[in-house]
Amino acid sequence: MLADLSKSASKGIAIGQYLLPVASLQGIISAFILLLCILMVFIHYKIGSKIAVAVIFVSMTNGITQIIQTHALYSLPGIISSTVSLFSIFIIYVFYKRSSIISYTDMITGLKNRRKFIEEISDKLQDKKDFFLACVEVEGFKQINETYGMETGDYILQKTAEHMIRLIGKKTNLYKITGAIFTIVFDTEENARAVLKEITRTETLSIPLKSAAAAIRDEGIKISLAAGVSRFPEDAGDEQTLMAHADTAMTAAKKLNAEKICFYSSELEVAEKKQREAESLINQALEHDWFYLVYQPQLTLTNRSLRGFETLIRCKRPDGTTVSPADFIPAAEKSNLIIKIDDYVLHHALKEFKPLLEKKHSPYILSINVSAKNIGSPDFAQRIRQLLSESQFPAHNLEIEITEYSLADSLDVTIANIKSLRELGVQVALDDFGTGYTSIAQLIKLPINLLKIDKSLIDDIEVSQTIRDLVDSVIYMGHIMNCEVISEGVENEKQIDVLKKHKCDFVQGFVWGKPMSFNDVQAMC
């Protein structure tokens, strides 16, 4: 009896009336091990695949050893199963690796994306070594997309990435984060300054576009890049704060006229806070109607007859305190809120002023300032046409004032808008003339009807012969171009006398008229 049990045990394990052979048991255990190996690859394809390959390799080695020792092929099925499992693990590994590459790659530029950036920057933070994080943005990218289409925008991002790769020399520390923003990690400040100086040089990125969808030809688009830099650990010790500081510095860099590179400092944070507060004020003022308009008269120099009024915006909080335009207009010009302010002034001024023109049948001019962003928008003239049609405001009574800053960018679009406005019958004035932004060649191209001499020239006109000669030259130039000339910021009669000698046409300033409410305008008319 004992002999029979011993013999059965050597053949397998008895389960009730059934016998489980030892070879089958080994096969079951081997199958579960292979299943666990595959599951490990699914859980973590990098580490799991290494462990799985090692386990399967040991199993296959044991099987081959048994074949060599016994000269029997009992372990061959196990070796084949291990080989199939090894092949399956390889397929899973390749699939996950490709999926990982896709999930870590920006599809437009082929660079590492934000997800990969967060992982790698976290590793650098743990290393506790100093580094510099730069944010680089393509300026005006939203307008490029809107004007030329997303296909052109993608093309520009690709070429921008190629441009930066050439200068950096390798892709390891270059990432495409979002929109038109890239990040670069530098080990030293010297390297950061040297590379970013080359990257942000506008002339290096004149991109020829062949796309039929783009409304341009072989001349391409000049791309301008701005860069902001934050330092670890000096400026911040975590990824989010480093990014926020670099973004703050980048915003400041956009405002620079020359080298558009800025390193973060606490002063920038203060300026950024003021900007946010001013933007909040503007949004509240627009929502709750805190803005109101005043009008400053423009008078003929020879007989003080009324030419018209310049429209000026003011702001008053509900508690009665006034907010100076100097506290919100510069902030608005740094954002798209200036367009909302322009629209507010245009709609309210035309609505308020139109009954006066109908009642008096007057030739009075309503002069309204518009921002560089507005006059440089491709649809600006069309919006003015629609506004005039809706309000039934006489086009010849409207004058649009632009500044010389408007000519710094989008010159062709600005000139096209001015021509369209003139065709409508709208008059166009060049404000703040003499601040040095307009060349004579540009001025000749502008179909304007009025030059406004900047107040900074008028301030010293009584005491400086040089200033008097400059003013005389501006007036003479305006008359040659068949433009009338108005001097703004005139504050005393001595300045009036000088301007009369130089044959200026009109004056605007406290000497003859301060900004006034519309009720006072009606009384003056």
Side-chain angles (χ1 to χ4, degrees), residues 174-207:
L174 176 61
Y175 309 84
K176 164 71 162 47
I177 301 300
T178 183
I181 298 178
F182 301 79
T183 59
I184 313 171
V185 179
F186 297 98
D187 292 328
T188 66
E189 182 174 345
E190 293 75 15
N191 189 29
R193 288 188 183 277
V195 173
L196 292 176
K197 185 175 181 180
E198 292 299 315
I199 285 177
T200 56
R201 287 171 62 178
T202 305
E203 65 269 19
T204 61
L205 263 179
S206 180
I207 301 176

PDB file of all heavy atoms in Angstrom, residues 174-207:
ATOM      1  N   LEU A 174      15.189  71.936 -25.009  1.00  0.00           N
ATOM      2  CA  LEU A 174      14.230  72.797 -25.702  1.00  0.00           C
ATOM      3  C   LEU A 174      12.860  72.125 -25.719  1.00  0.00           C
ATOM      4  O   LEU A 174      12.729  70.961 -26.082  1.00  0.00           O
ATOM      5  CB  LEU A 174      14.701  73.059 -27.136  1.00  0.00           C
ATOM      6  CG  LEU A 174      13.762  73.879 -28.037  1.00  0.00           C
ATOM      7  CD1 LEU A 174      13.536  75.282 -27.468  1.00  0.00           C
ATOM      8  CD2 LEU A 174      14.326  73.958 -29.454  1.00  0.00           C
ATOM      9  N   TYR A 175      11.833  72.890 -25.308  1.00  0.00           N
ATOM     10  CA  TYR A 175      10.476  72.334 -25.199  1.00  0.00           C
ATOM     11  C   TYR A 175       9.485  73.297 -25.854  1.00  0.00           C
ATOM     12  O   TYR A 175       9.673  74.504 -25.841  1.00  0.00           O
ATOM     13  CB  TYR A 175      10.072  72.141 -23.738  1.00  0.00           C
ATOM     14  CG  TYR A 175      11.061  71.381 -22.902  1.00  0.00           C
ATOM     15  CD1 TYR A 175      12.155  72.025 -22.319  1.00  0.00           C
ATOM     16  CD2 TYR A 175      10.913  70.010 -22.677  1.00  0.00           C
ATOM     17  CE1 TYR A 175      13.076  71.336 -21.545  1.00  0.00           C
ATOM     18  CE2 TYR A 175      11.827  69.308 -21.895  1.00  0.00           C
ATOM     19  CZ  TYR A 175      12.907  69.979 -21.335  1.00  0.00           C
ATOM     20  OH  TYR A 175      13.811  69.295 -20.566  1.00  0.00           O
ATOM     21  N   LYS A 176       8.423  72.734 -26.419  1.00  0.00           N
ATOM     22  CA  LYS A 176       7.291  73.531 -26.902  1.00  0.00           C
ATOM     23  C   LYS A 176       6.183  73.370 -25.870  1.00  0.00           C
ATOM     24  O   LYS A 176       5.638  72.273 -25.686  1.00  0.00           O
ATOM     25  CB  LYS A 176       6.850  73.009 -28.267  1.00  0.00           C
ATOM     26  CG  LYS A 176       5.474  73.470 -28.722  1.00  0.00           C
ATOM     27  CD  LYS A 176       5.440  74.920 -29.099  1.00  0.00           C
ATOM     28  CE  LYS A 176       4.207  75.221 -29.941  1.00  0.00           C
ATOM     29  NZ  LYS A 176       2.957  74.684 -29.418  1.00  0.00           N
ATOM     30  N   ILE A 177       5.847  74.452 -25.175  1.00  0.00           N
ATOM     31  CA  ILE A 177       4.931  74.369 -24.038  1.00  0.00           C
ATOM     32  C   ILE A 177       3.474  74.484 -24.467  1.00  0.00           C
ATOM     33  O   ILE A 177       2.681  73.575 -24.288  1.00  0.00           O
ATOM     34  CB  ILE A 177       5.269  75.449 -22.988  1.00  0.00           C
ATOM     35  CG1 ILE A 177       6.700  75.270 -22.504  1.00  0.00           C
ATOM     36  CG2 ILE A 177       4.314  75.372 -21.814  1.00  0.00           C
ATOM     37  CD1 ILE A 177       6.972  73.933 -21.856  1.00  0.00           C
ATOM     38  N   THR A 178       3.119  75.604 -25.049  1.00  0.00           N
ATOM     39  CA  THR A 178       1.735  75.820 -25.475  1.00  0.00           C
ATOM     40  C   THR A 178       1.695  77.001 -26.432  1.00  0.00           C
ATOM     41  O   THR A 178       2.541  77.893 -26.372  1.00  0.00           O
ATOM     42  CB  THR A 178       0.815  76.115 -24.270  1.00  0.00           C
ATOM     43  OG1 THR A 178      -0.529  76.260 -24.725  1.00  0.00           O
ATOM     44  CG2 THR A 178       1.220  77.384 -23.557  1.00  0.00           C
ATOM     45  N   GLY A 179       0.711  76.992 -27.336  1.00  0.00           N
ATOM     46  CA  GLY A 179       0.569  78.107 -28.260  1.00  0.00           C
ATOM     47  C   GLY A 179       1.862  78.392 -29.001  1.00  0.00           C
ATOM     48  O   GLY A 179       2.383  77.550 -29.727  1.00  0.00           O
ATOM     49  N   ALA A 180       2.394  79.605 -28.816  1.00  0.00           N
ATOM     50  CA  ALA A 180       3.649  80.000 -29.455  1.00  0.00           C
ATOM     51  C   ALA A 180       4.753  80.189 -28.431  1.00  0.00           C
ATOM     52  O   ALA A 180       5.670  80.987 -28.628  1.00  0.00           O
ATOM     53  CB  ALA A 180       3.438  81.292 -30.246  1.00  0.00           C
ATOM     54  N   ILE A 181       4.665  79.461 -27.299  1.00  0.00           N
ATOM     55  CA  ILE A 181       5.636  79.607 -26.213  1.00  0.00           C
ATOM     56  C   ILE A 181       6.538  78.374 -26.138  1.00  0.00           C
ATOM     57  O   ILE A 181       6.057  77.238 -26.123  1.00  0.00           O
ATOM     58  CB  ILE A 181       4.935  79.821 -24.859  1.00  0.00           C
ATOM     59  CG1 ILE A 181       4.122  81.123 -24.886  1.00  0.00           C
ATOM     60  CG2 ILE A 181       5.946  79.857 -23.726  1.00  0.00           C
ATOM     61  CD1 ILE A 181       3.362  81.402 -23.611  1.00  0.00           C
ATOM     62  N   PHE A 182       7.840  78.626 -26.106  1.00  0.00           N
ATOM     63  CA  PHE A 182       8.848  77.588 -25.958  1.00  0.00           C
ATOM     64  C   PHE A 182       9.582  77.828 -24.634  1.00  0.00           C
ATOM     65  O   PHE A 182       9.614  78.955 -24.136  1.00  0.00           O
ATOM     66  CB  PHE A 182       9.872  77.639 -27.095  1.00  0.00           C
ATOM     67  CG  PHE A 182       9.277  77.473 -28.468  1.00  0.00           C
ATOM     68  CD1 PHE A 182       8.648  78.538 -29.112  1.00  0.00           C
ATOM     69  CD2 PHE A 182       9.347  76.261 -29.124  1.00  0.00           C
ATOM     70  CE1 PHE A 182       8.105  78.391 -30.381  1.00  0.00           C
ATOM     71  CE2 PHE A 182       8.806  76.092 -30.389  1.00  0.00           C
ATOM     72  CZ  PHE A 182       8.185  77.159 -31.018  1.00  0.00           C
ATOM     73  N   THR A 183      10.182  76.769 -24.088  1.00  0.00           N
ATOM     74  CA  THR A 183      11.053  76.941 -22.923  1.00  0.00           C
ATOM     75  C   THR A 183      12.401  76.294 -23.216  1.00  0.00           C
ATOM     76  O   THR A 183      12.486  75.305 -23.946  1.00  0.00           O
ATOM     77  CB  THR A 183      10.466  76.303 -21.645  1.00  0.00           C
ATOM     78  OG1 THR A 183      10.258  74.915 -21.870  1.00  0.00           O
ATOM     79  CG2 THR A 183       9.172  76.972 -21.241  1.00  0.00           C
ATOM     80  N   ILE A 184      13.441  76.892 -22.637  1.00  0.00           N
ATOM     81  CA  ILE A 184      14.797  76.378 -22.775  1.00  0.00           C
ATOM     82  C   ILE A 184      15.438  76.387 -21.391  1.00  0.00           C
ATOM     83  O   ILE A 184      15.267  77.348 -20.633  1.00  0.00           O
ATOM     84  CB  ILE A 184      15.648  77.241 -23.728  1.00  0.00           C
ATOM     85  CG1 ILE A 184      14.885  77.542 -25.012  1.00  0.00           C
ATOM     86  CG2 ILE A 184      16.979  76.555 -24.041  1.00  0.00           C
ATOM     87  CD1 ILE A 184      15.558  78.568 -25.899  1.00  0.00           C
ATOM     88  N   VAL A 185      16.160  75.331 -21.058  1.00  0.00           N
ATOM     89  CA  VAL A 185      16.865  75.247 -19.781  1.00  0.00           C
ATOM     90  C   VAL A 185      18.362  75.414 -20.037  1.00  0.00           C
ATOM     91  O   VAL A 185      18.943  74.712 -20.871  1.00  0.00           O
ATOM     92  CB  VAL A 185      16.593  73.904 -19.081  1.00  0.00           C
ATOM     93  CG1 VAL A 185      17.363  73.832 -17.764  1.00  0.00           C
ATOM     94  CG2 VAL A 185      15.098  73.742 -18.824  1.00  0.00           C
ATOM     95  N   PHE A 186      18.977  76.375 -19.333  1.00  0.00           N
ATOM     96  CA  PHE A 186      20.406  76.654 -19.459  1.00  0.00           C
ATOM     97  C   PHE A 186      21.096  76.378 -18.126  1.00  0.00           C
ATOM     98  O   PHE A 186      20.517  76.580 -17.058  1.00  0.00           O
ATOM     99  CB  PHE A 186      20.651  78.107 -19.842  1.00  0.00           C
ATOM    100  CG  PHE A 186      20.080  78.497 -21.187  1.00  0.00           C
ATOM    101  CD1 PHE A 186      18.857  79.140 -21.280  1.00  0.00           C
ATOM    102  CD2 PHE A 186      20.775  78.219 -22.354  1.00  0.00           C
ATOM    103  CE1 PHE A 186      18.331  79.507 -22.504  1.00  0.00           C
ATOM    104  CE2 PHE A 186      20.257  78.581 -23.593  1.00  0.00           C
ATOM    105  CZ  PHE A 186      19.030  79.221 -23.665  1.00  0.00           C
ATOM    106  N   ASP A 187      22.343  75.966 -18.205  1.00  0.00           N
ATOM    107  CA  ASP A 187      23.115  75.701 -16.984  1.00  0.00           C
ATOM    108  C   ASP A 187      23.789  76.950 -16.440  1.00  0.00           C
ATOM    109  O   ASP A 187      24.042  77.053 -15.233  1.00  0.00           O
ATOM    110  CB  ASP A 187      24.175  74.624 -17.251  1.00  0.00           C
ATOM    111  CG  ASP A 187      23.540  73.266 -17.521  1.00  0.00           C
ATOM    112  OD1 ASP A 187      22.476  73.000 -16.945  1.00  0.00           O
ATOM    113  OD2 ASP A 187      24.106  72.501 -18.319  1.00  0.00           O
ATOM    114  N   THR A 188      24.108  77.917 -17.320  1.00  0.00           N
ATOM    115  CA  THR A 188      24.800  79.130 -16.875  1.00  0.00           C
ATOM    116  C   THR A 188      24.123  80.371 -17.437  1.00  0.00           C
ATOM    117  O   THR A 188      23.474  80.315 -18.497  1.00  0.00           O
ATOM    118  CB  THR A 188      26.273  79.127 -17.330  1.00  0.00           C
ATOM    119  OG1 THR A 188      26.325  79.197 -18.762  1.00  0.00           O
ATOM    120  CG2 THR A 188      26.996  77.867 -16.852  1.00  0.00           C
ATOM    121  N   GLU A 189      24.286  81.485 -16.734  1.00  0.00           N
ATOM    122  CA  GLU A 189      23.716  82.744 -17.191  1.00  0.00           C
ATOM    123  C   GLU A 189      24.382  83.215 -18.473  1.00  0.00           C
ATOM    124  O   GLU A 189      23.717  83.767 -19.366  1.00  0.00           O
ATOM    125  CB  GLU A 189      23.858  83.817 -16.100  1.00  0.00           C
ATOM    126  CG  GLU A 189      23.236  85.149 -16.481  1.00  0.00           C
ATOM    127  CD  GLU A 189      23.255  86.153 -15.355  1.00  0.00           C
ATOM    128  OE1 GLU A 189      23.495  85.744 -14.195  1.00  0.00           O
ATOM    129  OE2 GLU A 189      23.028  87.348 -15.627  1.00  0.00           O
ATOM    130  N   GLU A 190      25.690  83.001 -18.582  1.00  0.00           N
ATOM    131  CA  GLU A 190      26.420  83.440 -19.765  1.00  0.00           C
ATOM    132  C   GLU A 190      25.886  82.737 -21.011  1.00  0.00           C
ATOM    133  O   GLU A 190      25.661  83.368 -22.059  1.00  0.00           O
ATOM    134  CB  GLU A 190      27.925  83.162 -19.614  1.00  0.00           C
ATOM    135  CG  GLU A 190      28.625  83.980 -18.552  1.00  0.00           C
ATOM    136  CD  GLU A 190      28.317  83.512 -17.136  1.00  0.00           C
ATOM    137  OE1 GLU A 190      27.784  82.385 -16.990  1.00  0.00           O
ATOM    138  OE2 GLU A 190      28.598  84.269 -16.185  1.00  0.00           O
ATOM    139  N   ASN A 191      25.655  81.437 -20.892  1.00  0.00           N
ATOM    140  CA  ASN A 191      25.120  80.680 -22.021  1.00  0.00           C
ATOM    141  C   ASN A 191      23.719  81.148 -22.372  1.00  0.00           C
ATOM    142  O   ASN A 191      23.361  81.287 -23.550  1.00  0.00           O
ATOM    143  CB  ASN A 191      25.112  79.186 -21.687  1.00  0.00           C
ATOM    144  CG  ASN A 191      24.772  78.328 -22.888  1.00  0.00           C
ATOM    145  OD1 ASN A 191      25.050  78.704 -24.024  1.00  0.00           O
ATOM    146  ND2 ASN A 191      24.173  77.180 -22.643  1.00  0.00           N
ATOM    147  N   ALA A 192      22.914  81.402 -21.341  1.00  0.00           N
ATOM    148  CA  ALA A 192      21.541  81.878 -21.568  1.00  0.00           C
ATOM    149  C   ALA A 192      21.540  83.201 -22.320  1.00  0.00           C
ATOM    150  O   ALA A 192      20.814  83.368 -23.306  1.00  0.00           O
ATOM    151  CB  ALA A 192      20.811  82.020 -20.231  1.00  0.00           C
ATOM    152  N   ARG A 193      22.349  84.142 -21.878  1.00  0.00           N
ATOM    153  CA  ARG A 193      22.383  85.465 -22.525  1.00  0.00           C
ATOM    154  C   ARG A 193      22.872  85.357 -23.970  1.00  0.00           C
ATOM    155  O   ARG A 193      22.309  85.991 -24.877  1.00  0.00           O
ATOM    156  CB  ARG A 193      23.279  86.419 -21.738  1.00  0.00           C
ATOM    157  CG  ARG A 193      22.680  86.860 -20.410  1.00  0.00           C
ATOM    158  CD  ARG A 193      23.508  87.952 -19.753  1.00  0.00           C
ATOM    159  NE  ARG A 193      22.974  88.327 -18.460  1.00  0.00           N
ATOM    160  CZ  ARG A 193      21.980  89.196 -18.285  1.00  0.00           C
ATOM    161  NH1 ARG A 193      21.415  89.770 -19.335  1.00  0.00           N
ATOM    162  NH2 ARG A 193      21.559  89.491 -17.071  1.00  0.00           N
ATOM    163  N   ALA A 194      23.915  84.573 -24.191  1.00  0.00           N
ATOM    164  CA  ALA A 194      24.489  84.466 -25.526  1.00  0.00           C
ATOM    165  C   ALA A 194      23.512  83.835 -26.520  1.00  0.00           C
ATOM    166  O   ALA A 194      23.309  84.355 -27.632  1.00  0.00           O
ATOM    167  CB  ALA A 194      25.783  83.659 -25.469  1.00  0.00           C
ATOM    168  N   VAL A 195      22.883  82.739 -26.113  1.00  0.00           N
ATOM    169  CA  VAL A 195      21.957  82.041 -27.008  1.00  0.00           C
ATOM    170  C   VAL A 195      20.694  82.858 -27.243  1.00  0.00           C
ATOM    171  O   VAL A 195      20.233  82.999 -28.383  1.00  0.00           O
ATOM    172  CB  VAL A 195      21.599  80.656 -26.441  1.00  0.00           C
ATOM    173  CG1 VAL A 195      20.502  79.996 -27.279  1.00  0.00           C
ATOM    174  CG2 VAL A 195      22.833  79.764 -26.414  1.00  0.00           C
ATOM    175  N   LEU A 196      20.126  83.408 -26.175  1.00  0.00           N
ATOM    176  CA  LEU A 196      18.887  84.183 -26.319  1.00  0.00           C
ATOM    177  C   LEU A 196      19.104  85.451 -27.131  1.00  0.00           C
ATOM    178  O   LEU A 196      18.197  85.907 -27.830  1.00  0.00           O
ATOM    179  CB  LEU A 196      18.330  84.528 -24.935  1.00  0.00           C
ATOM    180  CG  LEU A 196      17.812  83.340 -24.122  1.00  0.00           C
ATOM    181  CD1 LEU A 196      17.382  83.788 -22.731  1.00  0.00           C
ATOM    182  CD2 LEU A 196      16.653  82.658 -24.840  1.00  0.00           C
ATOM    183  N   LYS A 197      20.289  86.018 -27.066  1.00  0.00           N
ATOM    184  CA  LYS A 197      20.596  87.205 -27.875  1.00  0.00           C
ATOM    185  C   LYS A 197      20.485  86.874 -29.355  1.00  0.00           C
ATOM    186  O   LYS A 197      19.977  87.680 -30.150  1.00  0.00           O
ATOM    187  CB  LYS A 197      21.997  87.710 -27.546  1.00  0.00           C
ATOM    188  CG  LYS A 197      22.361  89.010 -28.259  1.00  0.00           C
ATOM    189  CD  LYS A 197      23.719  89.518 -27.799  1.00  0.00           C
ATOM    190  CE  LYS A 197      24.055  90.836 -28.505  1.00  0.00           C
ATOM    191  NZ  LYS A 197      25.378  91.353 -28.067  1.00  0.00           N
ATOM    192  N   GLU A 198      20.951  85.682 -29.735  1.00  0.00           N
ATOM    193  CA  GLU A 198      20.847  85.261 -31.133  1.00  0.00           C
ATOM    194  C   GLU A 198      19.415  84.892 -31.493  1.00  0.00           C
ATOM    195  O   GLU A 198      18.926  85.219 -32.580  1.00  0.00           O
ATOM    196  CB  GLU A 198      21.771  84.063 -31.387  1.00  0.00           C
ATOM    197  CG  GLU A 198      23.248  84.396 -31.310  1.00  0.00           C
ATOM    198  CD  GLU A 198      23.659  85.434 -32.348  1.00  0.00           C
ATOM    199  OE1 GLU A 198      23.227  85.298 -33.518  1.00  0.00           O
ATOM    200  OE2 GLU A 198      24.388  86.378 -31.994  1.00  0.00           O
ATOM    201  N   ILE A 199      18.728  84.211 -30.577  1.00  0.00           N
ATOM    202  CA  ILE A 199      17.362  83.759 -30.846  1.00  0.00           C
ATOM    203  C   ILE A 199      16.415  84.934 -31.070  1.00  0.00           C
ATOM    204  O   ILE A 199      15.540  84.891 -31.945  1.00  0.00           O
ATOM    205  CB  ILE A 199      16.856  82.877 -29.685  1.00  0.00           C
ATOM    206  CG1 ILE A 199      17.513  81.488 -29.766  1.00  0.00           C
ATOM    207  CG2 ILE A 199      15.324  82.725 -29.718  1.00  0.00           C
ATOM    208  CD1 ILE A 199      17.138  80.580 -28.622  1.00  0.00           C
ATOM    209  N   THR A 200      16.569  86.005 -30.293  1.00  0.00           N
ATOM    210  CA  THR A 200      15.608  87.118 -30.332  1.00  0.00           C
ATOM    211  C   THR A 200      15.964  88.175 -31.358  1.00  0.00           C
ATOM    212  O   THR A 200      15.295  89.215 -31.415  1.00  0.00           O
ATOM    213  CB  THR A 200      15.508  87.784 -28.942  1.00  0.00           C
ATOM    214  OG1 THR A 200      16.821  88.203 -28.515  1.00  0.00           O
ATOM    215  CG2 THR A 200      14.940  86.819 -27.927  1.00  0.00           C
ATOM    216  N   ARG A 201      16.979  87.946 -32.156  1.00  0.00           N
ATOM    217  CA  ARG A 201      17.303  88.912 -33.204  1.00  0.00           C
ATOM    218  C   ARG A 201      16.323  88.746 -34.357  1.00  0.00           C
ATOM    219  O   ARG A 201      16.306  87.734 -35.047  1.00  0.00           O
ATOM    220  CB  ARG A 201      18.736  88.703 -33.702  1.00  0.00           C
ATOM    221  CG  ARG A 201      19.781  89.175 -32.695  1.00  0.00           C
ATOM    222  CD  ARG A 201      21.172  88.775 -33.098  1.00  0.00           C
ATOM    223  NE  ARG A 201      21.548  89.379 -34.378  1.00  0.00           N
ATOM    224  CZ  ARG A 201      22.745  89.217 -34.951  1.00  0.00           C
ATOM    225  NH1 ARG A 201      23.648  88.454 -34.358  1.00  0.00           N
ATOM    226  NH2 ARG A 201      23.009  89.780 -36.089  1.00  0.00           N
ATOM    227  N   THR A 202      15.480  89.766 -34.559  1.00  0.00           N
ATOM    228  CA  THR A 202      14.375  89.669 -35.514  1.00  0.00           C
ATOM    229  C   THR A 202      14.841  89.305 -36.916  1.00  0.00           C
ATOM    230  O   THR A 202      14.209  88.514 -37.611  1.00  0.00           O
ATOM    231  CB  THR A 202      13.594  91.000 -35.558  1.00  0.00           C
ATOM    232  OG1 THR A 202      13.181  91.329 -34.239  1.00  0.00           O
ATOM    233  CG2 THR A 202      12.391  90.897 -36.467  1.00  0.00           C
ATOM    234  N   GLU A 203      15.957  89.862 -37.341  1.00  0.00           N
ATOM    235  CA  GLU A 203      16.362  89.677 -38.721  1.00  0.00           C
ATOM    236  C   GLU A 203      16.733  88.237 -39.052  1.00  0.00           C
ATOM    237  O   GLU A 203      16.810  87.869 -40.222  1.00  0.00           O
ATOM    238  CB  GLU A 203      17.543  90.599 -39.057  1.00  0.00           C
ATOM    239  CG  GLU A 203      18.830  90.289 -38.298  1.00  0.00           C
ATOM    240  CD  GLU A 203      18.918  91.062 -37.003  1.00  0.00           C
ATOM    241  OE1 GLU A 203      17.859  91.526 -36.543  1.00  0.00           O
ATOM    242  OE2 GLU A 203      20.024  91.204 -36.458  1.00  0.00           O
ATOM    243  N   THR A 204      16.960  87.413 -38.055  1.00  0.00           N
ATOM    244  CA  THR A 204      17.341  86.025 -38.315  1.00  0.00           C
ATOM    245  C   THR A 204      16.146  85.150 -38.682  1.00  0.00           C
ATOM    246  O   THR A 204      16.318  84.017 -39.068  1.00  0.00           O
ATOM    247  CB  THR A 204      18.027  85.401 -37.079  1.00  0.00           C
ATOM    248  OG1 THR A 204      17.109  85.424 -35.980  1.00  0.00           O
ATOM    249  CG2 THR A 204      19.277  86.153 -36.714  1.00  0.00           C
ATOM    250  N   LEU A 205      14.928  85.694 -38.584  1.00  0.00           N
ATOM    251  CA  LEU A 205      13.756  84.857 -38.812  1.00  0.00           C
ATOM    252  C   LEU A 205      12.808  85.425 -39.857  1.00  0.00           C
ATOM    253  O   LEU A 205      11.613  85.520 -39.640  1.00  0.00           O
ATOM    254  CB  LEU A 205      12.998  84.668 -37.496  1.00  0.00           C
ATOM    255  CG  LEU A 205      13.312  83.381 -36.744  1.00  0.00           C
ATOM    256  CD1 LEU A 205      12.521  83.318 -35.465  1.00  0.00           C
ATOM    257  CD2 LEU A 205      13.046  82.174 -37.588  1.00  0.00           C
ATOM    258  N   SER A 206      13.365  85.845 -40.987  1.00  0.00           N
ATOM    259  CA  SER A 206      12.505  86.235 -42.090  1.00  0.00           C
ATOM    260  C   SER A 206      12.108  84.964 -42.824  1.00  0.00           C
ATOM    261  O   SER A 206      12.923  84.322 -43.480  1.00  0.00           O
ATOM    262  CB  SER A 206      13.253  87.187 -43.035  1.00  0.00           C
ATOM    263  OG  SER A 206      12.415  87.562 -44.088  1.00  0.00           O
ATOM    264  N   ILE A 207      10.838  84.557 -42.686  1.00  0.00           N
ATOM    265  CA  ILE A 207      10.412  83.241 -43.145  1.00  0.00           C
ATOM    266  C   ILE A 207       9.669  83.353 -44.472  1.00  0.00           C
ATOM    267  O   ILE A 207       8.600  83.957 -44.539  1.00  0.00           O
ATOM    268  CB  ILE A 207       9.497  82.575 -42.106  1.00  0.00           C
ATOM    269  CG1 ILE A 207      10.248  82.439 -40.779  1.00  0.00           C
ATOM    270  CG2 ILE A 207       9.037  81.208 -42.580  1.00  0.00           C
ATOM    271  CD1 ILE A 207       9.395  81.895 -39.678  1.00  0.00           C
TER     272      ILE A 207
END
